[in-house]
Amino acid sequence: MISAELLRRLDVPAPRYTSYPTVPEWSDTFDAADHARALARASLTPEQPLSLYVHIPFCKELCTYCGCNVVVTRDQARVERYLDALEREIAIAAAALGARHRVSRLHLGGGTPTFLDERQLMRLWRMLFGPFVLARDAEVALEIDPAVTRPEQLELLAALGCNRISMGVQDLDPDVQRAVNRIQTVEETARAIAHARQVGFGSVNLDLIYGLPRQTPASFARTMSQVVELRPDRVAVFSFAYVPAARPNQRRLQVADLPSSDAKQRLQEIADEQLRAAGFRAIGIDHYAREEDELARAAKAGTLWRDFQGYTTRRSNATVAFGVSGISDFGFAYAQNDHALGRHAEAVNAGRLATVRGKWLSEDDRRRRDIITDLMCNGRVDLGTEGAVYFADELESLAHFQADGLLTVDGGHVVLTPIGQRFARNVAMVFDAYVRSPGAARSFSRTV
Ligand SMILES: C[S@@+](CC[C@H](N)C(=O)[O-])C[C@H]1O[C@@H](n2cnc3c(N)ncnc32)[C@H](O)[C@@H]1O
Ligand code: SF4
């Protein structure tokens, strides 16, 4: 348990650190030519497998809480045009990369990738696995919305080599579901899980959100027991990122229905208690996995890594992203695509990548990124003797967190306590060299 006073002090806007430096620090002068240069540099290590991300932005309805880049449509011609654009984009990137690279991780995100029907999914696979080679032991994951996913699609995806599936659930209480415009019965979710298991998906993740309008401790406890009964392998319990300035759809939510930060914290505790009691281990921030899952084992061993696609046991050399708003992470640079379908298509039809911003990382950026990732994933970091001197100011700034019982510091060794792990974003901010730059905090959600 954490005191209300400490909770208030810790409740600040903070990055989620899926990247460092964070997106507001990237530059819009980083353009398609820079992006192509980054791909060419990544091509110099063809023996190292790549990670691929494909963004499928389409959804059949807009959930009012949604913070993702989505396009609500029923127009199949738009989807076909998007696939045409993806085909061009993949060809441009593949040409810059040269040799047929091996892919050890593929993630289809959205939006809702199962908005694509079987023929469109097959087409996507042909587009990807002409220029690239899917490694035999690759991790192939996709996000699905049970309400738009048919058994035939799951069967095809399993046959194509997909082995991890992540389903949006958010909350199973009908009152909460009405408040956020996402109606999905527990039976519907159970059927989708059963189909996924039947066709051979070895790993099923469920996404929940705490902090949504009309959630109460009693309703969320019921949701969590139903989730446990569904027997997923992994569960993500995201803190609701309420950012109405950036996401106009969230302005439709009734502010009076949102839980207070104390109530929100209680919801998180309920999820945490129930999942631990059911045999799940907490992974980094917001994530849980069964003790026997490879993520739980990596968390125990302190070898987890995290990127835009979530927690993983496989740190890849580079993630190459395709599609609107996709983010490529080369380790030495980030590059983001335009979020608008029209501009994305226009760029790739003209033969160039649809890059809108990015960042070349300095040596200092890379050091700080590794520290922040370790804190966010493994709840500890060892800076070594030289690091303890380089980051002496930061280590000194951790004193008040130590006094609050969030961590211990021993030389260059920082270890978060169980409460500290919940507030890893606050601790990570101490190592963020940009956090005081003008406008940096505006777009971040709060830590509670
Ligand atoms: C692309 S969606 C999942 C796939 C599918 N579209 C669905 O909703 O079932 C990824 C996940 O992001 C999470 N999410 C979306 N908006 C969020 C927000 N504003 N705050 C926290 N989590 C959010 C949800 O848990 C959602 O399942
Ligand atoms: S939560 Fe999923 S289904 Fe709902 S709008 Fe967002 S991406 Fe689409």
Side-chain angles (χ1 to χ4, degrees):
M1 293 297 278
I2 176 167
S3 77
E5 186 274 327
L6 178 56
L7 194 63
R8 256 188 302 282
R9 270 194 285 128
L10 293 171
D11 185 11
V12 293
R16 299 179 75 81
Y17 290 117
T18 42
S19 73
Y20 179 82
T22 56
V23 179
E25 303 307 327
W26 302 1
S27 162
D28 53 13
T29 60
F30 186 106
D31 60 10
D34 286 309
H35 193 165
R37 267 194 289 282
L39 284 163
R41 191 164 148 194
S43 76
L44 300 177
T45 47
E47 69 289 354
Q48 304 226 28
L50 293 177
S51 183
L52 300 183
Y53 173 75
V54 184
H55 193 79
I56 307 292
F58 305 107
C59 291
K60 81 170 191 337
E61 271 180 70
L62 186 59
C63 312
T64 30
Y65 57 81
C66 187
C68 308
N69 178 28
V70 302
V71 174
V72 177
T73 186
R74 308 238 163 179
D75 180 1
Q76 276 300 319
R78 267 183 113 180
V79 181
E80 293 296 337
R81 281 199 300 276
Y82 186 62
L83 289 173
D84 293 344
L86 276 180
E87 187 159 20
R88 294 207 175 85
E89 184 185 10
I90 292 167
I92 296 166
L97 279 164
R100 281 184 87 216
H101 287 253
R102 221 154 43 86
V103 172
S104 60
R105 237 179 125 203
L106 167 65
H107 190 105
L108 304 186
T112 305
T114 44
F115 195 93
L116 302 185
D117 63 23
E118 290 87 321
R119 186 188 55 76
Q120 292 163 333
L121 287 167
M122 291 275 287
R123 180 175 174 203
L124 178 63
W125 240 252
R126 277 197 301 273
M127 278 152 43
L128 289 168
F129 300 112
F132 298 101
V133 184
L134 189 63
R136 201 170 300 159
D137 62 346
E139 182 180 295
V140 184
L142 83 154
E143 295 167 11
I144 72 157
D145 173 355
V148 303
T149 308
R150 288 172 289 102
E152 295 77 15
Q153 285 167 297
L154 289 178
E155 216 166 295
L156 172 69
L157 285 160
L160 290 173
C162 293
N163 40 37
R164 293 192 177 278
I165 207 155
S166 179
M167 298 185 193
V169 173
Q170 328 311 351
D171 193 293
L172 288 165
D173 183 86
D175 192 31
V176 176
Q177 292 191 353
R178 273 191 299 275
V180 297
N181 192 36
R182 183 182 174 109
I183 310 298
Q184 179 180 326
T185 63
V186 68
E187 291 76 23
E188 222 168 343
T189 307
R191 257 197 311 275
I193 295 176
H195 284 311
R197 299 267 191 226
Q198 213 174 5
V199 299
F201 279 92
S203 176
V204 174
N205 172 81
L206 299 181
D207 284 344
L208 280 295
I209 304 182
Y210 68 94
L212 290 175
R214 304 196 67 78
Q215 278 177 335
T216 66
S219 78
F220 203 54
R222 268 195 310 276
T223 284
M224 290 313 302
S225 349
Q226 288 171 304
V227 164
V228 166
E229 275 169 35
L230 290 168
R231 302 198 55 77
D233 304 281
R234 297 177 183 178
V235 180
V237 193
F238 295 115
S239 166
F240 176 39
Y242 179 57
V243 281
R247 294 284 162 201
N249 51 305
Q250 293 186 354
R251 291 179 211 154
R252 284 190 241 152
L253 298 172
Q254 297 294 324
V255 179
D257 287 344
L258 289 168
S260 66
S261 49
D262 285 358
K264 195 174 172 189
Q265 171 67 13
R266 183 67 201 122
L267 297 172
Q268 196 277 335
E269 284 164 4
I270 288 168
D272 189 74
E273 283 157 19
Q274 287 190 228
L275 288 170
R276 284 176 199 268
F280 287 86
R281 167 181 275 264
I283 306 291
I285 273 202
D286 298 342
H287 288 70
Y288 294 83
R290 290 201 176 280
E291 286 289 351
E292 61 278 14
D293 188 285
E294 62 172 8
L295 272 194
R297 277 184 281 150
K300 221 188 262 174
T303 56
L304 265 192
W305 183 253
R306 182 169 185 256
D307 56 23
F308 284 98
Q309 284 74 57
Y311 289 96
T312 176
T313 55
R314 308 174 186 210
R315 178 178 181 173
S316 55
N317 184 38
T319 299
V320 180
F322 302 115
V324 284
S325 69
I327 292 176
S328 297
D329 174 359
F330 298 98
F332 52 82
Y334 293 110
Q336 182 167 31
N337 288 343
D338 204 311
H339 73 274
L341 289 179
R343 288 195 299 264
H344 172 264
E346 199 180 293
V348 297
N349 287 339
R352 57 173 198 278
L353 294 161
T355 324
V356 284
R357 64 180 64 82
K359 175 127 186 118
W360 295 106
L361 271 65
S362 68
E363 188 48 40
D364 180 75
D365 291 335
R366 294 171 74 161
R367 289 187 75 160
R368 289 174 190 272
R369 181 198 51 195
D370 285 356
I371 294 169
I372 288 173
T373 305
D374 242 345
L375 286 170
M376 299 288 300
C377 291
N378 301 310
R380 57 179 175 243
V381 66
D382 186 1
L383 303 176
T385 316
E386 186 272 334
V389 175
Y390 189 89
F391 293 107
D393 290 349
E394 285 80 357
L395 288 172
E396 212 179 303
S397 304
L398 293 177
H400 68 283
F401 287 131
Q402 182 154 7
D404 287 329
L406 264 55
L407 50 80
T408 57
V409 184
D410 180 8
H413 212 148
V414 182
V415 181
L416 303 186
T417 61
I419 290 183
Q421 298 226 8
R422 160 86 182 76
F423 294 97
R425 288 160 74 189
N426 300 63
V427 179
M429 266 205 293
V430 170
F431 291 93
D432 183 338
Y434 301 88
V435 86
R436 279 166 209 87
S437 74
R442 265 205 317 269
S443 54
F444 301 133
S445 59
R446 303 184 75 88
T447 50
V448 177

